[in-house]
Amino acid sequence: MTKYIFVTGGVLSSLGKGIASASMGTLLKSRGLKVGMLKFDPYINVDPGTMNPYQHGEVFVTRDGAETDLDLGHYERFVGIDLSYYNNVTTGQIYSSVIEKERRGDYLGRTIQVVPHITEEIQERIRKVAHRDKVDVVITEIGGTVGDIESLPFLEAVRQFRLKEGKDNTLFIHLTLLPFIPSTGELKTKPTQHSVGRLREIGIQPDFILCRTQIPLTKEARRKISLFCNVEEEDVIQAIDVENVYEVPLRFEKEGLTDKILKKLSLSTHEKDLREWSRWVEKVNSAQKEVRIAVVGKYVRMRDAYKSIIEAFTHAGAANNIKVNSVWIEAEELENNFTEKLKNFQGILIPGGFGLRGIEGKIRAIQFARENCIPFLGICLGMQCSTIEFARNVAGLKEANSTEFDPDTPYPVINLLSEQKKVRKKGGTMRLGDYECKIQRGSFSWKAYKKDVIYERHRHRYEFNNHYREILIESGLRIAGVYPEKNLVEIIEVPNHPWFVGVQFHPEFSSRPGAPHPLFRDFIKAAKEKYQRKSVAKIVREK
Ligand code: GLN
């Protein structure tokens, strides 16, 4: 019998509902339970694939090629599972499937309404996760903030769900914020009271209230919340701010949350193993030295746009006992004076992206990394830009470009495959998800993966143009990875360099705390070596 936990959020957005949900996943998994995750997003878009990263943050890609909300990345990393298209559901998807059924005649004669048709469709999606993933517990996070018009059908659906599944099998957890007023030294509970009030109006009584707070939860605040929100004092849980998000499960465990959840769901397990997780967190927190990595991108004001890259750095840093200090640089600003801006870094990374803005700055940064032996990792667009840079500055194809940026370039070293040229619709039509890649022995990539064949996640339209393959190889480029079925270039490398790798896929999506991505791990290792070489040089000079 599957149990269901529903996580809602109150007061305001960005409280870390995704991390809180993911952390409960870590905790239940540590007790030997199989955990499934589901995120409901209340917006009308069918998927976040076409949404602006400034508004929505990173688009996380699953192995099966779904373009999903970035919270799925947290779930994968915290729970150590691979998710699928059905683990993220938006209002747009719910409505389009109800409308499709209506058009097909499935509801013939009936009036189609939010209740019961939309709410039933929502409930079906929850059961689908239980059924497909065959799990003991499904944790469902309801996006948005209680009180929003958009999330109402989801809340109504889960209220009904509890009625059908029973109290013992379902649990409501509400995350809120307790603002701290420094002048009076008080934690304010009023916003929490109001948001729980809104939930109760809909008929949902939370079982636990998780309180985001800057300072430890006071007795007074706990007592008030308990009284006004109708929960036991012990079920008011402190969720204090932490530097390192991977500490959140440990904090919750300390609050006794796991035992309390298990008790309310009438679950009993004997296992308890958070040792490895704590050791790893300790390792991250205790790193003293740091390497500085420049990330040259387009959405640098919105750090959430590169969430998985930041996390992959943390994982790779822990594996190398070093802290990764990533500095985000606006690509457009590099179009001049780039030496000054880039000279103090031990590594340069160019992430994925779309559109012309900032491209020339990225190409400058790549040239700088290649010529000055700075470890370099190019991801997707970053790999395409490194191909352009190499073609222009090494192979002598002066105006080489991608047809994405210059449709009339004389040397389209990156262009569309004929099948992509026919595509008219934007949503869900890129090359998405896992594809095979065969790796050349002896390459940087092979040394990292120690495997001949790997599978990695993709999200792009444009490809390395095989027409220029020979000339680029003759000029010294190494084609280190290929998708055999279509002979597509997946990895390029510059030999005679400490570490220079460009990949058409997105390694950041599959990096996990205890299992850093091999390319990120080796990139940071190369940066660390560069750092050490530099410090030795400095010491010698100082003597
Ligand atoms: N814009 C490029 C393409 O569509 C790269 C995409 C990416 O970096 N994710 O191929």
Side-chain angles (χ1 to χ4, degrees):
M1 175 111 200
T2 309
K3 308 278 180 173
Y4 300 89
I5 297 177
F6 298 100
V7 184
T8 53
V11 184
L12 41 91
S13 61
S14 308
L15 286 184
K17 221 175 339 129
I19 297 283
S21 309
S23 299
M24 286 185 254
T26 313
L27 292 172
L28 295 174
K29 187 185 173 198
S30 80
R31 302 298 180 97
L33 293 167
K34 201 165 172 229
V35 181
M37 302 294 301
L38 169 61
K39 169 86 192 274
F40 281 135
D41 279 309
Y43 45 74
I44 317 280
N45 305 60
V46 170
D47 62 45
T50 48
M51 289 166 90
N52 186 340
Y54 273 124
Q55 280 176 22
H56 195 267
E58 165 183 284
V59 175
F60 185 81
V61 182
T62 58
R63 292 189 63 182
D64 61 353
E67 299 174 275
T68 69
D69 183 77
L70 58 78
D71 278 324
L72 270 79
H74 295 311
Y75 306 160
E76 287 207 354
R77 292 185 282 268
F78 275 69
V79 193
I81 45 177
D82 288 329
L83 296 167
S84 192
Y85 71 94
Y86 54 82
N87 299 105
N88 186 196
V89 175
T90 70
T91 296
Q93 288 172 24
I94 299 282
Y95 271 80
S96 41
S97 83
V98 169
I99 291 170
E100 199 184 307
K101 286 182 193 166
E102 189 276 332
R103 295 286 80 189
R104 226 174 27 218
D106 290 12
Y107 308 109
L108 224 48
R110 271 173 282 164
T111 311
I112 313 308
Q113 293 174 299
V114 173
V115 183
H117 301 99
I118 296 295
T119 49
E120 260 162 27
E121 183 71 31
I122 294 172
Q123 293 173 52
E124 240 171 67
R125 301 302 179 106
I126 305 168
R127 293 209 174 85
K128 186 171 185 175
V129 174
H131 178 73
R132 294 285 291 260
D133 292 343
K134 297 190 178 51
V135 289
D136 302 308
V137 185
V138 178
I139 301 177
T140 302
E141 177 189 346
I142 300 172
T145 309
V146 169
D148 297 347
I149 295 177
E150 284 91 347
S151 51
L152 268 178
F154 290 102
L155 295 171
E156 170 59 18
V158 300
R159 183 192 66 77
Q160 295 174 8
F161 196 87
R162 173 170 246 188
L163 208 60
K164 292 180 191 161
E165 294 292 322
K167 266 199 136 183
D168 267 7
N169 301 319
T170 50
L171 206 60
F172 287 112
I173 301 184
H174 189 59
L175 175 71
T176 72
L177 172 75
L178 302 190
F180 174 62
I181 308 293
S183 57
T184 56
E186 255 183 314
L187 281 175
K188 297 306 235 181
T189 64
K190 192 73 84 194
T192 300
Q193 295 176 35
H194 281 300
S195 92
V196 173
R198 295 300 288 267
L199 260 185
R200 291 169 66 199
E201 265 170 39
I202 308 163
I204 294 175
Q205 167 64 51
D207 298 282
F208 292 104
I209 298 184
L210 304 183
C211 304
R212 266 304 289 276
T213 159
Q214 276 175 283
I215 62 159
L217 194 58
T218 56
K219 267 212 175 96
E220 179 58 14
R222 197 185 286 271
R223 197 189 55 77
K224 263 193 176 164
I225 294 172
S226 160
L227 190 66
F228 290 105
C229 302
N230 196 30
V231 291
E232 301 282 339
E233 273 189 39
E234 59 170 33
D235 296 337
V236 179
I237 309 286
Q238 165 183 295
I240 201 158
D241 294 358
V242 285
E243 268 290 295
N244 172 358
V245 291
Y246 295 98
E247 261 177 52
V248 175
L250 303 174
R251 299 289 178 123
F252 283 167
E253 177 72 21
K254 232 173 144 187
E255 290 272 307
L257 182 63
T258 330
D259 288 322
K260 291 176 192 174
I261 290 178
L262 293 176
K263 194 165 160 218
K264 282 206 205 276
L265 287 175
S266 315
L267 282 169
S268 62
T269 67
H270 302 294
E271 264 178 72
K272 187 172 186 168
D273 199 359
L274 269 175
R275 270 169 310 181
E276 214 181 301
W277 190 273
S278 346
R279 265 200 299 271
W280 184 82
V281 168
E282 190 43 45
K283 209 169 170 186
V284 173
N285 291 348
S286 62
Q288 298 289 332
K289 293 203 180 110
E290 62 169 40
V291 278
R292 280 165 54 84
I293 306 291
V295 182
V296 181
K298 183 165 112 174
Y299 313 108
V300 294
R301 277 180 289 121
M302 170 64 168
R303 300 283 301 251
D304 268 2
Y306 303 112
K307 196 89 212 162
S308 295
I309 291 181
I310 301 177
E311 300 306 323
F313 277 149
T314 305
H315 312 154
N320 286 292
N321 292 315
I322 201 147
K323 195 170 164 306
V324 179
N325 178 359
S326 49
V327 178
W328 299 71
I329 300 179
E330 185 66 61
E332 265 183 318
E333 286 169 14
L334 279 185
E335 285 169 17
N336 37 50
N337 209 9
F338 58 92
T339 313
E340 205 39 50
K341 287 177 190 142
L342 291 175
K343 69 177 188 207
N344 289 324
F345 291 98
Q346 289 86 43
I348 296 178
L349 183 144
I350 313 273
F354 296 83
L356 176 66
R357 186 165 73 78
I359 292 299
E360 293 305 318
K362 290 178 192 176
I363 291 174
R364 291 255 156 78
I366 295 166
Q367 182 178 8
F368 186 80
R370 186 177 53 75
E371 291 177 348
N372 294 287
C373 293
I374 300 174
F376 172 82
L377 177 58
I379 296 177
C380 204
L381 179 69
M383 173 271 202
Q384 299 177 351
C385 288
S386 14
T387 307
I388 298 170
E389 191 281 323
F390 197 89
R392 285 187 193 173
N393 301 327
V394 183
L397 306 173
K398 280 290 169 257
E399 287 155 63
N401 216 328
S402 159
T403 50
E404 181 179 4
F405 317 126
D406 178 5
D408 304 318
T409 166
Y411 308 113
V413 289
I414 305 290
N415 73 352
L416 285 180
L417 288 185
S418 49
E419 61 214 53
Q420 273 292 346
K421 285 188 186 145
K422 291 184 221 131
V423 171
R424 292 280 167 265
K425 279 203 245 166
K426 283 261 188 284
T429 53
M430 282 188 254
R431 183 173 177 232
L432 290 166
D434 262 3
Y435 283 92
E436 183 185 340
C437 171
K438 258 187 108 169
I439 301 189
Q440 193 187 98
R441 292 218 162 192
S443 60
F444 295 125
S445 304
W446 193 85
K447 285 179 192 145
Y449 286 101
K450 303 241 163 25
K451 276 186 194 161
D452 297 324
V453 176
I454 52 145
Y455 291 82
E456 291 282 6
R457 306 180 197 193
H458 293 67
R459 182 172 183 254
H460 62 108
R461 277 186 218 287
Y462 292 81
E463 298 283 351
F464 183 103
N465 184 350
N466 277 333
H467 181 75
Y468 295 95
R469 195 148 152 182
E470 274 321 305
I471 176 168
L472 293 175
I473 292 176
E474 272 164 27
S475 306
L477 192 72
R478 174 158 65 205
I479 305 299
V482 169
Y483 169 49
E485 208 181 301
K486 292 200 170 161
N487 193 22
L488 296 177
V489 173
E490 295 278 345
I491 309 178
I492 60 157
E493 296 184 358
V494 175
N496 304 323
H497 188 284
W499 207 86
F500 189 110
V501 178
V503 289
Q504 186 57 80
F505 46 81
H506 288 271
E508 70 274 26
F509 294 143
S510 47
S511 187
R512 306 273 164 88
H517 192 281
L519 292 177
F520 271 87
R521 186 198 60 215
D522 280 15
F523 171 52
I524 295 304
K525 182 165 166 248
K528 182 177 168 184
E529 279 159 12
K530 173 140 187 83
Y531 168 83
Q532 281 162 343
R533 270 199 308 277
K534 203 164 175 185
S535 352
V536 172
K538 223 166 116 194
I539 295 164
V540 172
R541 243 196 339 268
E542 277 161 13
K543 271 185 182 168

